[in-house]
Amino acid sequence: MLEKLGEAIRKATDKIANALFLDKDVVDSIVRDLQRALIEADVNVSLVKELSDKIKKSAMDERIKGVEKKEHLVKILHDELLRLLGEHKQLKLLEKQNRIMLVGLYASGKTTTIAKLGNWFAKRGKRVALIGLDVHRPAAKEQLMQLGKKNGLNVFTNIEEKDALKIWKEFEPKLKDYDLILVDTAGRHSLDKELVEELKELNKKIKPTETILVIGADIGQAARTQANEFKKATDISGVIITRMDSTAKGGGALTACAETKAPVYFIGTGEKVNDIEEFNPNSFLSRLLGMGDLQTLIEKVKSVTEEKSQKKIQKKLEEGKLTLEDVVEQVRSMNSMGGFDKIKSMIPGLSNINAKIPEGALENQEAKLARWEHIIKSMTQEEKENPELLEKQTSRMARIAKGSGVATSDVRSLLKQYKLLNEVIKSGGAGMDMSEGMSQKQMMKFAKKFGKKMRF
Ligand code: GDP
Ligand code: MG
């Protein structure tokens, strides 16, 4: 059931947990994956866009940093998905007699669901009766009788009678001892005038305590129109979505119902009588995510992040060396913090350091980082491990510049940044917090030492 969507959401949370820096690229790629999966599950595009925008906005919230930022992002992701799934409403039986009428189009799963609900409440000690009022499909009443027999449920219907109201009147006196009467009605290909009239008539006579719309999950987000139309025609108190097991579009059906504010009471998850579950958005989402609740999720993000960044710092410090890729990452993370000017203003005593930043340079930063990445891709493994080789042999530099379509000055600037950052590491990398670029202490050291040379 929605396996692909679940997998995509789990991947997204893993990406958040594993990212060394939650920069724009990481967030964009997470959002892209999610969008693809949600749209594949037939969730409405504008809902998907809304969710994406919220996630992006929250990821760029500069007030939150480090692991907390990751927790925050996972929480937003969780809450937004939960919001998409709508409110939780349980189908509760009343003390007096309950009359639940199931309505819906042809083959939406009404009759099957009647048997499932009958069985569900009978197991919970209720005296249940099923009444077959589908006078349109010749085999409909037999189907209900068979299902009743198979599951030990009492069924009332009249095979010969073509008038649904007459069947109701015939059996009404016999129904008074039951706690729950489940009414099976006829469907149509679409909600036409005839069906509306029939539902209104039945409504008047039966006075259902609940009228439940049955929708097949395979119609996906078209459930929105269907739910709205039925709501207009009659008093719908809730929805049951069937065939959640056999389509990838269930996400669309669920979110569309949430949009129309029609609470989903149950979902059908198979053809057998026990294949029915109460729908609880919270536990449904937990299952999609493949873990307990939000707290478990946050704990996971925390521990993965801590473990990962610790391991990485450890390794870096032992080697006393950052790779070229690390350099790009570092500069990108400083950039996402707002560049050197911003960093300066955040650290007391640093604002008087005279690091000249050429005007407009920050806007070019992303383009420059992208060029750096191209450069790294054009390098051989040997060169990546020993960038010093490039300075020794300028032919290498020329080859790389040509191969990556950049100027040799770009290659030089990457090398310069590389040396600069490695000097910082050597001058005492301890206490460096890789999960958010550098620590303040580190940054201060860095700025003091290299402030004048900094060129962003
Ligand atoms: P009705 O015309 O609305 O009464 O629909 P039915 O109850 O006759 O069901 C139509 C078809 O959907 C039947 O083949 C059922 O077996 C099937 N069906 C109903 N609910 C589910 C479900 O939750 N999962 C699956 N896989 N099939 C279902
Ligand atoms: Mg039926």
Side-chain angles (χ1 to χ4, degrees), residues 70 120-121 251 263 324 405-406:
K70 294 185 174 188
W120 173 280
F121 285 111
L324 285 166
V406 304

Side-chain angles (χ1 to χ4, degrees), residues 109-112 134 137 140 143 184-185:
K110 297 177 293 298
T111 308
T112 312
D134 181 354
R137 251 191 52 211
Q143 185 193 355
D184 192 23
T185 66

Side-chain angles (χ1 to χ4, degrees), residues 102-114 116 134 137 140 143 147 184-188 214-218 240-247 267-272 275-276:
L102 265 60
V103 303
L105 299 186
Y106 272 141
S108 54
K110 297 177 293 298
T111 308
T112 312
T113 307
I114 290 263
K116 287 178 178 178
D134 181 354
R137 251 191 52 211
Q143 185 193 355
L147 281 167
D184 192 23
T185 66
R188 294 289 193 287
V214 181
I215 293 178
D218 29 15
I240 294 180
I241 298 179
T242 64
R243 290 195 290 275
M244 280 296 289
D245 55 303
S246 60
T247 172
I267 52 177
T269 55
E271 294 188 63
K272 305 230 169 60
D275 296 333
I276 186 163

Side-chain angles (χ1 to χ4, degrees), residues 233-290:
T234 179
D235 264 338
I236 299 292
S237 48
V239 177
I240 294 180
I241 298 179
T242 64
R243 290 195 290 275
M244 280 296 289
D245 55 303
S246 60
T247 172
K249 288 187 169 183
L254 281 170
T255 51
C257 288
E259 261 189 295
T260 65
K261 302 252 181 297
V264 178
Y265 283 138
F266 286 91
I267 52 177
T269 55
E271 294 188 63
K272 305 230 169 60
V273 74
N274 282 321
D275 296 333
I276 186 163
E277 310 176 359
E278 268 187 308
F279 180 68
N280 175 342
N282 231 316
S283 44
F284 185 80
L285 182 58
S286 293
R287 218 167 61 192
L288 261 189
L289 295 168

Side-chain angles (χ1 to χ4, degrees), residues 328-390:
V328 177
E329 259 182 330
Q330 279 291 335
V331 173
R332 180 166 274 140
S333 91
M334 286 196 287
N335 199 32
S336 74
M337 285 166 79
F340 194 56
D341 257 352
K342 183 87 172 284
I343 297 163
K344 267 197 337 182
S345 68
M346 289 188 307
I347 306 172
L350 262 200
S351 41
N352 52 0
I353 285 187
N354 187 23
K356 268 267 167 280
I357 298 167
E359 222 170 294
L362 278 177
E363 286 94 86
N364 295 329
Q365 191 70 356
E366 259 312 307
K368 182 180 196 161
L369 288 170
R371 284 202 298 279
W372 284 2
E373 277 163 346
H374 290 313
I375 293 170
I376 295 172
K377 278 195 195 114
S378 293
M379 292 167 80
T380 63
Q381 194 54 37
E382 191 194 12
E383 287 163 348
K384 280 186 201 167
E385 280 161 21
N386 306 292
E388 298 77 17
L389 284 173
L390 269 63

